[in-house]
Amino acid sequence: MKAEKVVHVPQSLNAKAVASLASTLESAMRDAAVSAVVLRGSSDVFCRGLDLDELVGNDDDRPIETQPVRDYCRCLRALRFSEKPAIAVVQGEALGGGIGLIATCDIVITGKSAKFGLPEALFGLAPAMVMPFLVERVCVRT
């Protein structure tokens, strides 16, 4: 009997959390016993995205961590290109990379407390990793 797989989305995607999420999503999408994947955050936060402090840090001599970015892209690909439906249940904040996870899902269910944002725009950065998925999901009005 097939059943949906509920995947807990961490509030912040640090290196360990995003690697674990990518592995969990890829495994669920390959599992013949799984009929659909449901992403759930906490009641206050769906996901605030990648932990930029961990990626960049404060040390100018330290290189930027690239593995968490690659793992995040694995999450996006697993959700978007699977034949199994992906459903996001969103309560609370969904920011940055959390928006990307939502945009790759087939169905999004939001609660009244859901709040969406792309804070990287405040710093003049484009949401480059999530933009292709946002363009697919958001209609442009002229």
Side-chain angles (χ1 to χ4, degrees):
M1 180 174 189
K2 290 189 174 188
E4 72 275 353
K5 165 85 173 168
V6 177
V7 176
H8 174 73
V9 180
Q11 289 189 6
S12 178
L13 298 174
N14 61 34
K16 184 177 179 182
V18 74
S20 176
L21 181 61
S23 293
T24 299
L25 290 172
E26 289 170 339
S27 176
M29 294 305 187
R30 286 190 307 266
D31 188 343
V34 173
S35 60
V37 172
V38 179
L39 299 182
R40 291 188 84 93
S42 71
S43 61
D44 296 332
V45 176
F46 176 77
C47 181
R48 291 186 178 123
L50 290 169
D51 183 343
L52 296 180
D53 288 336
E54 180 187 73
L55 288 176
V56 179
N58 295 323
D59 185 358
D60 291 336
D61 296 330
R62 191 185 83 164
I64 294 174
E65 294 292 327
T66 58
Q67 187 60 49
V69 173
R70 286 194 293 275
D71 290 335
Y72 177 70
C73 288
R74 286 174 48 211
C75 293
L76 299 179
R77 283 192 306 271
L79 291 165
R80 176 60 182 87
F81 298 112
S82 173
E83 293 181 11
K84 295 179 184 179
I87 302 161
V89 179
V90 183
Q91 297 178 323
E93 292 181 322
L95 305 173
I99 297 284
L101 295 173
I102 293 166
T104 56
C105 288
D106 300 293
I107 299 170
V108 179
I109 301 167
T110 64
K112 289 182 180 182
S113 65
K115 294 178 184 161
F116 304 92
L118 295 168
E120 55 268 46
L122 296 172
F123 302 103
L125 302 172
M129 287 184 288
V130 305
M131 188 59 73
F133 307 106
L134 286 174
V135 169
E136 279 185 342
R137 301 294 186 215
V138 178
C139 64
V140 178
R141 293 186 178 203
T142 55

